[in-house]
Amino acid sequence: MAVLPLVVAPDPRLKKKALPVERVDDTIRKLMDDMVETMYAENGMGLAAPQVGISSRVIVMDIARKDEQPKIFKMANPEIVWESPEVKSYEEGCLSVPEHYAEVERPASIKLRFIDYENEIREIDADGVLAVCVQHEIDHLNGVLFIDHLSSLKRSIISRKLLKAKKAMAEPANS
Ligand code: K1U
Ligand code: ZN
């Protein structure tokens, strides 16, 4: 398994709609395994393929707390087939938007359809942190970041800071 380099905003790869997976074969399984390794290395509870520069509809998650057994999800082509009218707010972060956090409102419960690691179609119900995380990761597959759910003022403040941080990283020291 390998830790893959993360794509950090602003980057056009994070704004593109990712391509559907035709079937979960060994290539997609390796991508899923490398993404889990990357998610753990970056201390995340989720990761979507566009965040490692790959335009495929693949996400991974582990929402277990540190004192719990890992509960890893590996999904291709995840889609929300039902969402509750009830919404909940949760403070979100993003590995591609480092050091910024904000409350985002989303449907509290969802029904999800996806293709699993064995290339089987599955449906599960999700609520709590799993529902938050899945919706955040599916947003990535559609080129949407959590800051796109904020007011234009809050989004533009964070976007300006991200651009400044990226420019500072690209500049050689003492220039
Ligand atoms: O997609 C990502 O960038 C991963 C992201 C998932 C996520 C976190 C919080 C709310 C919604 C979705 C992260 O894991 S960012 C890291 C982080 O903030 C976090 C990590 C573990 C537990 C709690 C938060
Ligand atoms: Zn994210």
Side-chain angles (χ1 to χ4, degrees), residues 98-116:
E99 292 165 29
H100 295 279
Y101 302 88
E103 292 285 331
V104 176
E105 252 187 24
R106 299 183 186 272
S109 312
I110 56 174
K111 186 183 274 294
L112 189 68
R113 185 179 299 147
F114 61 96
I115 308 176
D116 71 10

Side-chain angles (χ1 to χ4, degrees), residues 51 93-97 136-137 140 145-146:
Q51 293 181 278
C94 180
L95 298 175
S96 297
V97 184
H136 178 112
E137 302 311 334
H140 276 301
L145 298 175
F146 80 92

